[in-house]
């Protein structure tokens, strides 16, 4: 089942749950970046964000693009400025080789988001820049916690598996 984005995750055959889950998880990334833009990083938090550099809406310095690999990874930690979020993208100024450069990344181009300080990570699969993205896997950077990979439609995932047992 596919979704043409005209109907908020539903179509005549039923709900597109993959799209709805993906959209919800991307909202986690949006909210975290929005909070960070308003208050700064909290505690030891820092973010590794990987995105598809071939997406036509991505704006990055040309030296970040690699002809062999379309994925670009940035780190938001010590040297970042002017972080802004909108409904469909985020913008930030980062230091590359001592020079400040502006980048703009649409949320649809993000392939992974990780906050290693708390062992949190999301990974998204980009099928086509013009189509919806599908949830590929949820991963934990803590080796003692299970990772769920290759989710298929209809699987139920309990978030309790990923919570610390105290």
């Amino acid at each position: 089942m596919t979704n043409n984005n005209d109907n908020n995750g539903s179509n005549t055959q039923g709900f597109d749950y993959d799209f709805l889950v993906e959209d919800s998880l991307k909202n986690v990334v949006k909210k975290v970046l929005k909070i960070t833009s308003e208050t700064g990083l909290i505690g030891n938090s820092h973010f590794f964000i990987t995105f598809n550099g071939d997406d036509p809406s991505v704006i990055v310095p040309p030296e970040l693009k690699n002809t062999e690999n379309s994925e670009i990874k940035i780190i938001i930690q010590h040297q970042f400025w002017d972080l802004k979020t909108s409904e469909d993208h985020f913008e930030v100024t980062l230091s590359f080789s001592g020079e400040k450069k502006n980048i703009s990344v649409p949320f649809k181009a993000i392939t992974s988001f990780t906050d290693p300080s708390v062992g949190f990570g999301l990974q998204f699969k980009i099928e086509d820049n013009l189509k919806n993205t599908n949830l590929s896997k949820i991963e934990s950077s803590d080796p003692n916690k299970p990772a769920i990979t290759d989710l298929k439609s209809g699987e139920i995932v309990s978030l309790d598996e990923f919570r610390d047992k105290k």
Side-chain angles (χ1 to χ4, degrees), residues 1 8 16 23 29 32 35 66-68 76 89 91 97 103-104 122 138 141 146 153 156 160 162:
M1 176 173 3
N8 295 320
D16 184 345
D23 191 50
V29 176
V32 166
I35 291 167
N66 181 340
T67 57
E68 297 172 12
I76 297 179
H89 74 282
E91 299 173 26
S97 301
I103 68 167
S104 177
L122 296 171
I138 302 171
S141 61
S153 294
I156 298 173
D160 289 337
F162 298 96

Side-chain angles (χ1 to χ4, degrees), residues 149-160:
T149 59
D150 299 326
L151 293 178
K152 295 173 181 52
S153 294
E155 283 191 49
I156 298 173
V157 177
S158 171
L159 294 179
D160 289 337

Side-chain angles (χ1 to χ4, degrees), residues 4-164:
N4 62 11
N5 270 344
D6 293 336
N7 48 18
N8 295 320
S10 64
N11 64 27
T12 57
Q13 297 175 342
F15 292 102
D16 184 345
Y17 286 104
D18 289 340
F19 171 80
L20 294 170
V21 169
E22 169 103 9
D23 191 50
S24 293
L25 292 173
K26 292 277 174 115
N27 276 322
V28 170
V29 176
K30 287 179 200 177
K31 287 180 182 181
V32 166
L33 292 177
K34 177 116 177 105
I35 291 167
T36 301
S37 71
E38 294 170 353
T39 66
L41 290 169
I42 298 172
N44 292 324
S45 287
H46 57 287
F47 315 124
F48 296 160
I49 302 172
T50 306
F51 56 92
N52 179 359
D54 289 339
D55 186 293
S57 301
V58 167
I59 300 170
V60 296
E63 62 268 20
L64 287 185
K65 292 199 175 191
N66 181 340
T67 57
E68 297 172 12
N69 186 355
S70 65
E71 283 199 328
I72 298 172
K73 181 184 277 188
I74 60 170
I75 301 171
I76 297 179
Q77 187 172 18
H78 299 298
Q79 295 186 352
F80 72 94
W81 302 267
D82 304 321
L83 177 61
K84 298 175 188 143
T85 60
S86 72
E87 188 58 33
D88 63 347
H89 74 282
F90 72 94
E91 299 173 26
V92 66
T93 301
L94 296 173
S95 179
F96 298 100
S97 301
E99 292 185 39
K100 290 183 180 179
K101 306 270 183 154
N102 298 323
I103 68 167
S104 177
V105 179
F107 291 110
K108 69 182 176 80
I110 295 175
T111 58
S112 71
F113 175 88
T114 306
D115 181 348
S117 73
V118 294
F120 178 81
L122 296 171
Q123 188 163 344
F124 305 95
K125 180 179 179 186
I126 305 294
E127 288 184 3
D128 184 324
N129 290 335
L130 303 176
K131 293 180 182 177
N132 295 325
T133 56
N134 289 322
L135 176 64
S136 171
K137 69 180 173 180
I138 302 171
E139 61 181 27
S140 171
S141 61
D142 183 342
N144 297 322
K145 292 183 181 179
I148 296 176
T149 59
D150 299 326
L151 293 178
K152 295 173 181 52
S153 294
E155 283 191 49
I156 298 173
V157 177
S158 171
L159 294 179
D160 289 337
E161 295 177 43
F162 298 96
R163 293 192 176 108
D164 287 331

